[in-house]
Amino acid sequence: MNKKKILVLGSNGKTGRRVVERLEQVENIEIRLGSRNEKIPFDWEKPQTWEAVLQDIDSVYITFQPDLAIPSAEDSIENFTRLATKLGVQKMVLLSGRGEKEAQLCEEMVKQNAKNWTIVQASWFNQNFSESIFLDPILAGIVALPRAEALEPFTDADDIADVVTAVLLDDKHNGQTYELTGPKLLTFKQVIKEIAEVTGRNITFQSLSLEEYNQMLVEYQVPEDHIWLVNYLFEQVLDGRNSTITSDIEKVLGRKAKDFSAYAKETAQTGIWNS
């Protein structure tokens, strides 16, 4: 039997590496890793790298860095998906931003250009608190953020990876858009309280205005493009548009989505939040 060849873009990222781990357990699958440092390199900013990595590929998991909200994303997604189909790719699965109108434009490019497609939408990940931007403040014992009372159904990266793997392997998901959420709505303040409780640490949460948060990022010499993206996410995406829960994870996987409390307990046991 011929092996199905799957390209995973962002193969070192939060969802990409998890998808790779899952696909490695499946027979008759050949995985190609899409990142700058691979033998066949891939770089969104270098279109000349795209053709080689797409050769002989059947399906692609598309994650875009840093986010589909940035101005260059739509053109990149359009050009990449056209090239992929031209080179014989049969299926594309896009990780999209829930509630991001710019991301929806990128979704349309995938729908127009892919032979078969599935859209997987998600917003804030649980793992942002253990593998990304909020880890250092947690370790420092003080987390200062805007939109303190905004409700968000934080979604676990393991659930996202399970869904992506399922839709890559089963064509019954072709033409579907799945909106992934966790099973309950939480504020950032509640999240930090849960992490403090499971770690037994005193972690302070401070509510800031967007202006104060901006100034703090400037003082910490955060790059301008990162400040722009974080501002976009807090100002646009955390305006209440995503304060709803869906059952799409259960629809695809036949089980409930992981609760933030379960994620917090599991993560605390790794020691990652020990100061």
Side-chain angles (χ1 to χ4, degrees), residues 98-99 123 150-155 179-186 237 240-247:
R98 185 179 185 233
S123 184
L151 289 167
E152 174 70 21
F154 294 95
T155 312
E179 191 175 347
L180 308 188
T181 74
K184 66 183 179 184
L185 295 169
L186 292 167
V237 181
R241 71 184 68 181
N242 287 338
S243 297
T244 55
I245 291 167
T246 76
S247 59

Side-chain angles (χ1 to χ4, degrees), residues 122-148:
S123 184
W124 296 89
F125 297 178
N126 292 343
Q127 282 71 15
N128 286 332
F129 299 94
S130 54
E131 300 176 17
S132 190
I133 56 176
F134 303 131
L135 176 58
D136 286 344
I138 288 170
L139 293 176
I142 180 166
V143 180
L145 293 171
R147 300 286 195 188

Side-chain angles (χ1 to χ4, degrees), residues 98-266:
R98 185 179 185 233
E100 296 180 21
K101 61 181 181 180
E102 292 84 357
Q104 290 166 7
L105 296 174
C106 295
E107 293 175 15
E108 290 306 312
M109 289 300 155
V110 175
K111 293 176 183 179
Q112 288 176 25
N113 295 324
K115 185 172 181 179
N116 295 291
W117 55 266
T118 308
I119 307 298
V120 177
Q121 299 175 343
S123 184
W124 296 89
F125 297 178
N126 292 343
Q127 282 71 15
N128 286 332
F129 299 94
S130 54
E131 300 176 17
S132 190
I133 56 176
F134 303 131
L135 176 58
D136 286 344
I138 288 170
L139 293 176
I142 180 166
V143 180
L145 293 171
R147 300 286 195 188
E149 301 308 318
L151 289 167
E152 174 70 21
F154 294 95
T155 312
D156 200 86
D158 285 330
D159 283 347
I160 298 169
D162 284 343
V163 168
V164 169
T165 303
V167 302
L168 280 168
L169 297 177
D170 194 333
D171 288 341
K172 73 179 182 181
H173 301 289
N174 289 358
Q176 299 296 314
T177 296
Y178 294 119
E179 191 175 347
L180 308 188
T181 74
K184 66 183 179 184
L185 295 169
L186 292 167
T187 65
F188 281 98
K189 187 175 183 179
Q190 289 171 326
V191 163
I192 298 306
K193 182 181 179 183
E194 284 210 33
I195 293 173
E197 288 175 352
V198 296
T199 57
R201 294 183 53 214
N202 181 24
I203 306 173
T204 301
F205 183 88
Q206 181 181 354
S207 178
L208 300 178
S209 68
L210 278 168
E211 292 76 16
E212 290 170 331
Y213 187 59
N214 245 331
Q215 185 59 40
M216 184 182 75
L217 295 179
V218 171
E219 290 173 359
Y220 278 98
Q221 299 183 328
V222 174
E224 285 187 15
D225 56 348
H226 184 82
I227 293 176
W228 178 89
L229 178 58
V230 170
N231 263 275
Y232 169 85
L233 293 173
F234 275 105
E235 187 173 13
Q236 302 291 328
V237 181
L238 278 172
D239 63 355
R241 71 184 68 181
N242 287 338
S243 297
T244 55
I245 291 167
T246 76
S247 59
D248 282 3
I249 287 175
E250 186 174 3
K251 184 188 299 183
V252 175
L253 301 177
R255 63 164 177 80
K256 300 286 187 181
K258 182 184 285 188
D259 186 273
F260 186 88
S261 297
Y263 153 78
K265 290 174 184 175
E266 292 172 9

Side-chain angles (χ1 to χ4, degrees), residues 56-72:
D56 303 318
I57 291 296
D58 299 302
S59 301
V60 184
Y61 174 45
I62 303 173
T63 62
F64 185 85
Q65 299 298 326
D67 194 275
L68 290 173
I70 70 171
S72 64

